[in-house]
Each structure stands twice: as C-alpha cells, then as structure tokens.
C-alpha cells in the first residue's frame, strides 16, 4: 500500500494532525482529486481515518501504532548505510 510514492507522501503529511483534502494536496504537491483517490485506498487499508467537521472532512493517521511505523520507516530509509560495502554480493 505504501509502495506508491503519492500514498506515502499523503500519509506522512497526515502524521502530525488531521488535515482536509485541500491542505493535504497543497502540502503534498498533488491535485485534490488525486489525493481524494488515494485517501479512499488508505482508509480502506486502515492507514488513515476521516472525521467530519461541518462540511469538511479531515484525515489523519489511524492511531499511534501507524504513526510510529511510518516515522520509523521514513527514518530508516533516510539513514546512511554505515558499515556496509557498496557491493551487495553477499546478500
């Protein structure tokens, strides 16, 4: 599910606080219609949840467990490969 760069970007944008589709689109640099499409998939997979306030719907990560998994994954990808050789011949 998070192998798609847009879905991962949307999920990361929603980590800190719930946002409406327009704000997510602006932060992620995507169109609102594309964000809506991906949010539907992310909701079905239970990565994000929605909460309606008035006429707007706000999206945030489902819970602290999802938040930690995403933050750890992003941090891991950003780490430098230390102590490993450039040649992956042994793996």
């Amino acid at each position: 599910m998070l192998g798609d760069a847009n879905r991962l970007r949307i999920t990361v944008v929603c980590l800190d606080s719930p946002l409406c589709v327009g704000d997510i689109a602006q932060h992620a640099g995507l169109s609102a219609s594309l964000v809506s499409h991906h949010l539907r998939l992310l909701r079905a997979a239970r990565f994000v949840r929605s909460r309606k306030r008035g006429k707007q719907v706000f999206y945030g990560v489902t819970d602290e467990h999802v938040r930690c998994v995403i933050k750890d994954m992003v941090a891991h990808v950003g780490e430098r490969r230390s102590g490993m050789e450039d040649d992956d011949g042994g793996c």
Side-chain angles (χ1 to χ4, degrees):
M1 179 60 57
L2 296 176
D4 180 274
N6 290 331
R7 285 193 289 270
L8 179 58
R9 187 177 304 134
I10 290 166
T11 307
V12 170
V13 168
C14 294
L15 281 178
D16 294 325
S17 64
L19 298 169
C20 65
V21 172
D23 290 342
I24 295 169
Q26 183 179 3
H27 286 20
L30 302 168
S31 71
S33 62
L34 184 60
V35 168
S36 292
H37 168 74
H38 285 300
L39 284 169
R40 181 179 54 83
L41 298 172
L42 289 165
R43 276 186 55 202
R46 299 183 332 178
F47 280 100
V48 299
R49 65 179 175 187
S50 62
R51 189 167 285 162
K52 192 169 185 176
R53 287 190 219 152
K55 293 183 179 184
Q56 288 189 316
V57 179
F58 290 80
Y59 295 87
V61 294
T62 304
D63 56 27
E64 191 60 30
H65 180 80
V66 171
R67 182 175 286 107
C68 288
V69 168
I70 301 299
K71 283 186 174 185
D72 287 347
M73 182 179 64
V74 170
H76 177 72
V77 170
E79 291 175 352
R80 290 186 60 142
R81 291 176 50 169
S82 61
M84 298 189 74
E85 296 178 13
D86 290 339
D87 183 357
D88 288 339
C91 297

